[in-house]
Amino acid sequence: MQTALIVGYVWPEPNSSAAGRRVLDLIDALQAGGIAVHFACAASPTKHQCDLRALNVTTHAIALNCDSVDRWVAELAPDVVVFDRFVTEEQFGWRVASAAPNALRVLDTEDFHSLRAARELALKRALAGNPSADVAAITVGNAELYELMREDDRLLRELAAIFRCDISLMISSFEVTLLQEYCQVPPQLLYHLPFTVDQPAMTYPDFAAREHFVSIGNFRHRPNWDTVLWLKQHVWPAIRQQLPRAELHIYGAYPPPKATALHNKRQGFLVKGWADDALTVVARHKVLLAPLRVGAGIKGKLLDAMLTGTPSVTTDIGAEGMCGECQWPGAVANDSKAIAAQAVSLYQDESQWRLAANACGPLLAKHYSRADLGPKLVTVLRERHLNLNAWRRDNILGALFNFHSIRSTEFMSRWIEVKSRLNKAD
């Protein structure tokens, strides 16, 4: 296995979102395994995108719904193709299957989108008629979650993409369990791969050198925007009542006018917008607040807190799939009053703060070590690629989904060609 192609949903922005960081994790693992990496994307470039060429990644701009992609993929002849999210697999998976049939097809789900949509639906129903109500984080059971997921066609689309691919990378262990228990996805199709990090190489400020609270997250991501609103309306007023001199500094990529309009110096609610270096920003603050009422996957902001030895206060959804049996480096609560109480306690109690800060390193070493996880991923991909024909023969559901996808596409292509000829004849 010598050449890998990553088909991106967007050009990666690691300083803007956890999704951008995830792509760089995959690039690092593949390159460390001696595999040359190409990155292709149909989205428009952005001024904040990572300079992939500086990372020795060959980049390609490709087009949607264009036969040129087929020819280009056939010429590149990659050994492995990674699709960044299920939408990208829908757009390009059938082309890759046709142009490079011997390539291992890998889906990086990022997070399970239909799970996030189900929780957003539950919150929407809870807020019906009173959008400013103090509704706690969505903590329904897995069976109810699955029923909510069934109400959105994204579940079937995601499952179809998973079955069409040879293996899918899942960032959250919770989502692996959900897919196996409720969607009957074979364990062999799923590979748990969280974020990967190096152990922090520098010492960050201690308790006495820090002040104030911080919250960070891309404003275009709906769970993050809901977090900001909940902080503004309920969580922060409860904290501020007990700590009248404290401030909450809110950072995030792409802040819209509705977000900057929430800035209020008198309330200590300060919307700062872009953070050039998230780790430096988080490290200045005493406690990170991430009261997520909805969401899926695992949270880059909470990983940043661990990397900087910053205690965090989040919900069960925020902590989901992130620490296993390890002690959470901070506190977990699901309603605004409990979240505020835990935040104030961490902020004021130096011994409690130190216990949380000291829990960060062991958790990172156990669950997120790049030196451990990267080589294991490459080994799994090489083994699956080496036995690809046998795997596809035994993966009968995958064969079924790919047969239907390719035949449907061939039919549509022929119909478009016939229609074009008829139009010319007229």
Side-chain angles (χ1 to χ4, degrees), residues 5-255:
L5 168 63
I6 299 176
V7 185
Y9 178 65
V10 294
W11 295 96
E13 295 184 8
N15 291 330
S16 301
S17 70
R21 170 189 287 176
R22 172 66 162 192
V23 170
L24 296 195
D25 282 353
L26 296 177
I27 290 172
D28 180 84
L30 292 167
Q31 289 181 331
I35 301 169
V37 179
H38 294 250
F39 186 91
C41 187
S44 300
T46 73
K47 64 178 181 179
H48 299 292
Q49 71 187 53
C50 176
D51 184 0
L52 292 176
R53 294 181 183 180
L55 300 177
N56 295 317
V57 175
T58 306
T59 59
H60 310 267
I62 56 176
L64 291 172
N65 304 318
C66 183
D67 291 344
S68 62
V69 174
D70 304 20
R71 296 188 293 273
W72 172 72
V73 170
E75 291 173 3
L76 180 65
D79 300 299
V80 56
V81 178
V82 181
F83 301 102
D84 173 24
R85 286 166 267 200
F86 80 95
V87 177
T88 303
E89 191 280 335
E90 287 180 328
Q91 295 166 335
F92 295 102
W94 62 275
R95 292 188 181 277
V96 170
S98 177
N102 295 321
L104 179 72
R105 297 194 298 278
V106 180
L107 174 62
D108 184 33
T109 59
E110 293 281 0
D111 61 27
F112 205 46
H113 293 67
S114 52
L115 171 60
R116 187 173 71 237
R119 286 172 168 155
E120 289 174 356
L121 177 60
L123 179 62
K124 181 179 179 181
R125 288 174 177 173
L127 292 171
N130 188 3
S132 298
D134 188 8
V135 174
I138 300 302
T139 55
V140 299
N142 290 359
E144 187 176 348
L145 265 180
Y146 176 66
E147 290 304 317
L148 288 167
M149 290 163 63
R150 289 290 303 270
E151 295 189 37
D152 192 311
D153 68 357
R154 270 174 290 195
L155 174 61
L156 298 181
R157 292 170 60 195
E158 286 185 281
L159 289 175
I162 287 172
F163 279 112
R164 283 193 296 265
C165 288
D166 300 304
I167 192 167
S168 290
L169 308 181
M170 307 298 300
I171 202 165
S172 168
S173 57
F174 173 80
E175 293 173 6
V176 172
T177 300
L178 194 68
L179 281 169
Q180 290 179 11
E181 292 186 357
Y182 287 89
C183 302
Q184 291 77 53
V185 177
Q188 301 90 334
L189 271 178
L190 306 174
Y191 185 78
H192 177 221
L193 181 72
F195 292 122
T196 63
V197 300
D198 298 313
Q199 284 296 104
M202 62 181 292
T203 302
Y204 286 96
D206 201 2
F207 180 85
R210 301 179 185 228
E211 61 178 351
H212 303 313
F213 294 85
V214 64
S215 185
I216 189 167
N218 191 318
F219 284 95
R220 289 180 174 176
H221 192 52
R222 284 187 293 181
N224 290 338
W225 173 237
D226 177 72
T227 292
V228 172
L229 290 178
W230 199 28
L231 282 166
K232 175 70 173 181
Q233 295 165 354
H234 300 286
V235 179
W236 182 244
I239 295 174
R240 181 78 167 182
Q241 187 176 19
Q242 300 177 67
L243 300 172
R245 295 186 179 180
E247 296 174 356
L248 172 57
H249 298 178
I250 297 179
Y251 290 85
Y254 301 105

Side-chain angles (χ1 to χ4, degrees), residues 270-288:
L270 309 180
V271 180
K272 299 292 187 85
W274 284 86
D276 292 331
D277 186 326
L279 295 180
T280 300
V281 165
V282 171
R284 292 198 297 260
H285 298 82
K286 196 162 285 186
V287 177
L288 180 137

